[in-house]
Amino acid sequence: MPLDKAPGRHEPALPAPFESVFASLEEIRYTEPGSRFHQCFGCGPNHDIGLRVRTFRGAGEVLSPIIVPRRFEGPPEGAHGGIVAAYLDEVLAGAAVGHTGRPHWTGELSVRYVKPTPVERPLLGRGRAVRQSEKYLDLEGTLEDLDTGEVLARATGRFFPTRDGPVRDGPKPESSPPDPR
């Protein structure tokens, strides 16, 4: 097994506060060089000023390690609301890929800001599919303080599959269907 693929190792490395949480989780990769998402503002690893959101497969959900850089500050010590929405949008998009094995685009996104989202603090994004139809996927997610588990923002979204097929050499779809509510 190559060194960078060993359990507990991720490339690029995760910031120290996330190492223990993400050590055993598989990263969902769909932004590799040559992919249409490599330069995406939200998830692209090569976007100069982007968010570079990464998603990892959890138990029935995806998890994302997030530290909002100070350059995205809105109110003093808080992240700009539009940036919080962008992070949640990317977490939900990652959940769509993790659930179906193919990229989706955002058709609708609703964000509830529960508390100010701090900058320069480890946060945990969570996302999961809640309903799937032939034409769309409904998802929900949260942005939480990594240390306290306190929910800072919640989002729901309706996502539509792109015309791209399944992600080449990408994540395999989850085996369990979402809650049909």
Side-chain angles (χ1 to χ4, degrees):
M1 174 180 292
L3 187 58
D4 66 332
K5 300 294 183 189
R9 298 243 352 201
H10 297 290
E11 287 299 324
L14 294 172
F18 299 107
E19 288 174 352
S20 64
V21 175
F22 288 84
S24 65
L25 302 181
E26 170 196 7
E27 185 166 3
I28 299 171
R29 294 187 177 267
Y30 59 100
T31 61
E32 300 303 310
S35 80
R36 292 178 48 180
F37 297 95
H38 192 64
Q39 291 288 336
C40 173
F41 173 76
C43 63
N46 223 31
H47 194 288
D48 291 344
I49 62 166
L51 305 179
R52 299 180 180 166
V53 175
R54 297 166 67 184
T55 52
F56 295 79
R57 192 179 303 282
E61 65 181 352
V62 298
L63 302 173
S64 295
I66 295 169
I67 297 176
V68 181
R70 187 159 306 280
R71 70 177 179 265
F72 295 131
E73 186 175 51
E77 300 300 315
H80 185 280
I83 293 295
V84 172
Y87 274 109
L88 284 164
D89 183 43
E90 290 303 322
V91 170
L92 296 185
V97 173
H99 182 73
T100 66
R102 63 186 295 182
H104 284 61
W105 56 273
T106 311
E108 185 177 303
L109 181 69
S110 178
V111 177
R112 172 74 177 192
Y113 301 94
V114 179
K115 296 190 79 162
T117 300
V119 294
E120 300 294 335
R121 183 165 174 79
L123 307 175
L124 181 65
R126 292 182 185 270
R128 71 181 188 97
V130 293
R131 183 174 55 205
Q132 185 171 3
S133 80
E134 288 182 29
K135 295 184 179 184
Y136 61 84
L137 183 62
D138 287 339
L139 300 117
E140 64 184 14
T142 57
L143 204 55
E144 306 168 5
D145 183 286
L146 180 67
D147 293 333
T148 67
E150 187 174 33
V151 173
L152 306 167
R154 299 178 189 283
T156 58
R158 179 162 287 175
F159 284 63
F160 297 89
T162 64
R163 291 191 176 140
D164 300 328
V167 178
R168 198 174 17 136
D169 298 327
K172 306 296 183 263
E174 289 181 354
S175 56
S176 60
D179 181 357
R181 316 181 238 169

